Amino acid sequence: MTQSEQTNTGSAPCTARAGSRAPVREHLCDTYGRGIDYLRISVTDKCNLRCVYCMPENGVPYRPHEELLRIEEITRFVGLAAREGIRRVRLTGGEPLVAKGIVDLIQQIRAIPEIEDIALTTNGVLLPRLAPALKNAGLDRVNISLDTLDPQQFGRITRIGKIEDTLAGIDAALEHGFDPVKVNCVVVRRLEQDIFGFARLSLDRPLHVRFIEYMPIGNDETRAHGALDPESATYDASLWGQSDVVPTSELVERINADAAREGMPGLEPASDNVPLGAGPARYWRFPGAAGTVGFISAMSNHFCSRCNRLRLTADGTIRPCLFSDDEYPVREALRFGSDDDVLAIYRAALVHKPEAHGLIDGTARFMSQIGG
Ligand code: SAM
Ligand code: SF4
């Protein structure tokens, strides 16, 4: 980024908040009139799992400690971003619960008056241990990632995980009163996941199950390592392609057909009473169910015109679009600069947020480095 780009912000306050159900208030708008009020922060690039679609088998070489943002630096960034209209924060990773100081960070962000909502995306493994402290610190809600209900397949997808750990994380999230609790499932046709089984999780407990399209994020060089036998091909994400995308309409049909076979009523649109932070998901529910079933189709039906977010990576760059490698380094300014230095970079990132993503085929960073 050049100096002139930094100073030529062009960003302006706006009151429109496209696609939002929240009360209208002042935000900085980007060049395309989208009010930006949502910040996703990757607090670490480290993880206690190795999901095949997120990072290579041996993990991503971790950044040296001094290149990662410290807790106080993240808090400082959120405080300044809040001045520019950020109202909601999501902590992600890598696995945010392996980050030292995660509880302190939540406490510090909670103390920023403008921040209305703090959420966390996790694989759930450490939730049974940390849920009480996270709740006390002021965390509002959690999304837990779970892509299969089959213990063996869970082991294949996460390479080193045990399904009972993530299931215990879901139980802990409900027990400790996080609301809503969402379960995110990345759907990949060749994985033949039990979609109806997932949807049923929403019946008895207030779980909001969301089916998410696989996105080709990551570095091709490391992604493509060529699988030979069919079993390996199933779990080699470098071989996953367009034919693995399962459209929402098909998922709804499959769920309803299975429901009919069991004598259950099918899904109906949940146009009101959708869980907080609905964002780009479309929600359905079984009549009388405690939870909902949502669908996020970032690839086949992208929602760029309603995108209200910026991302902060663990090593301190602002990433205006998940799918674009265009980034705005802010670590040095956070460490050594004035508030105005940080804000100039923030505004430059905001003003250069692209209108839409094009066709995507990998990115320089892995998902674990961006935060999803
Ligand atoms: N470790 C945490 C977790 O797994 O929830 C947070 C970080 S993870 C990168 C955030 C989300 O991104 C997870 O729900 C994960 O399933 C999703 N994800 C990772 N790689 C993806 C990909 N290539 N396509 C779609 N979703 C992906
Ligand atoms: Fe770790 Fe989450 Fe990536 Fe899985 S999806 S490897 S749990 S960061």
Side-chain angles (χ1 to χ4, degrees):
M1 182 182 45
T2 65
Q3 187 61 33
S4 65
E5 277 174 326
Q6 281 194 22
T7 47
N8 174 24
T9 67
S11 53
C14 79
T15 50
R17 196 201 243 184
S20 168
R21 295 171 300 123
V24 171
R25 51 162 64 235
E26 244 192 30
H27 303 284
L28 273 196
C29 266
D30 70 0
T31 315
Y32 303 98
R34 297 169 294 196
I36 305 299
D37 69 349
Y38 178 34
L39 178 67
R40 293 178 69 105
I41 305 171
S42 174
V43 295
T44 177
D45 57 352
K46 300 181 181 58
C47 189
N48 46 1
L49 299 183
R50 294 277 177 280
C51 300
V52 292
Y53 54 73
C54 181
M55 58 166 77
E57 189 155 8
N58 298 322
V60 180
Y62 293 143
R63 296 256 168 188
H65 187 64
E66 61 278 10
E67 288 184 16
L68 297 179
L69 290 183
R70 303 179 191 116
I71 296 299
E72 320 76 72
E73 291 162 353
I74 298 177
T75 306
R76 182 178 183 208
F77 185 83
V78 177
L80 290 168
R83 284 200 216 161
E84 303 290 287
I86 292 296
R87 296 290 173 266
R88 299 191 293 127
V89 169
R90 174 169 297 280
L91 304 172
T92 172
E95 173 49 43
L97 298 186
V98 304
K100 281 201 192 99
I102 184 71
V103 172
D104 291 342
L105 175 63
I106 291 168
Q107 217 159 24
Q108 290 173 22
I109 296 176
R110 187 80 282 171
I112 299 171
E114 294 92 342
I115 300 300
E116 297 162 2
D117 180 47
I118 309 175
L120 179 123
T121 300
T122 172
N123 59 36
V125 170
L126 292 172
L127 265 182
R129 198 188 310 163
L130 290 175
L134 295 168
K135 187 73 188 166
N136 283 340
L139 181 67
D140 293 305
R141 53 203 186 88
V142 292
N143 289 7
I144 300 168
S145 306
L146 175 67
D147 301 322
T148 177
L149 299 172
D150 172 353
Q152 265 195 332
Q153 189 173 50
F154 186 92
R156 295 299 302 265
I157 294 174
T158 62
R159 292 197 183 101
I160 53 175
K162 294 200 185 79
I163 195 168
E164 51 275 25
D165 294 341
T166 294
L167 294 176
I170 294 173
D171 293 344
L174 289 170
E175 271 160 33
H176 289 87
F178 292 107
D179 182 26
V181 175
K182 297 179 185 172
V183 174
N184 287 347
C185 169
V186 176
V187 179
V188 179
R189 191 180 293 281
R190 73 179 72 190
L191 292 181
E192 298 179 355
Q193 294 133 303
D194 177 7
I195 300 301
F196 182 55
F198 265 105
R200 284 182 70 112
L201 294 178
S202 70
L203 281 173
D204 301 327
R205 300 195 291 174
L207 283 176
H208 302 279
V209 176
R210 290 143 26 110
F211 296 109
I212 299 175
E213 277 178 10
Y214 166 68
M215 299 175 263
I217 297 281
N219 178 329
D220 270 348
E221 203 180 307
T222 335
R223 282 200 310 143
H225 41 87
L228 299 174
D229 64 285
E231 172 76 356
S232 305
T234 303
Y235 296 99
D236 184 341
S238 71
L239 302 176
W240 299 354
Q242 198 51 38
S243 58
D244 288 298
V245 174
V246 187
T248 296
S249 52
E250 182 185 326
L251 290 174
V252 174
E253 264 171 41
R254 276 167 55 183
I255 292 169
N256 285 342
D258 286 350
R261 261 192 291 281
E262 301 224 345
M264 275 172 58
L267 292 172
E268 55 189 26
S271 46
D272 51 3
N273 211 11
V274 295
L276 182 70
R282 301 207 174 98
Y283 282 92
W284 300 64
R285 70 164 79 233
F286 290 115
T292 59
V293 179
F295 301 89
I296 302 182
S297 37
M299 301 298 293
S300 59
N301 178 15
H302 61 77
F303 27 75
C304 306
S305 64
R306 290 187 289 134
C307 187
N308 59 350
R309 60 194 62 182
L310 290 179
R311 290 178 162 77
L312 179 67
T313 64
D315 58 349
T317 72
I318 307 173
R319 194 170 167 109
C321 175
L322 173 62
F323 298 107
S324 164
D325 285 323
D326 193 17
E327 296 182 340
Y328 295 80
V330 73
R331 186 180 65 225
E332 294 303 300
L334 280 170
R335 215 157 267 182
F336 308 112
S338 67
D339 288 356
D340 283 345
D341 294 336
V342 175
L343 287 171
I345 298 168
Y346 179 92
R347 291 176 190 145
L350 186 126
V351 109
H352 288 96
K353 187 172 165 61
E355 184 174 12
H357 65 69
L359 282 178
I360 302 143
D361 186 20
T363 50
R365 287 182 190 257
F366 290 95
M367 193 69 114
S368 62
Q369 298 172 308
I370 308 170

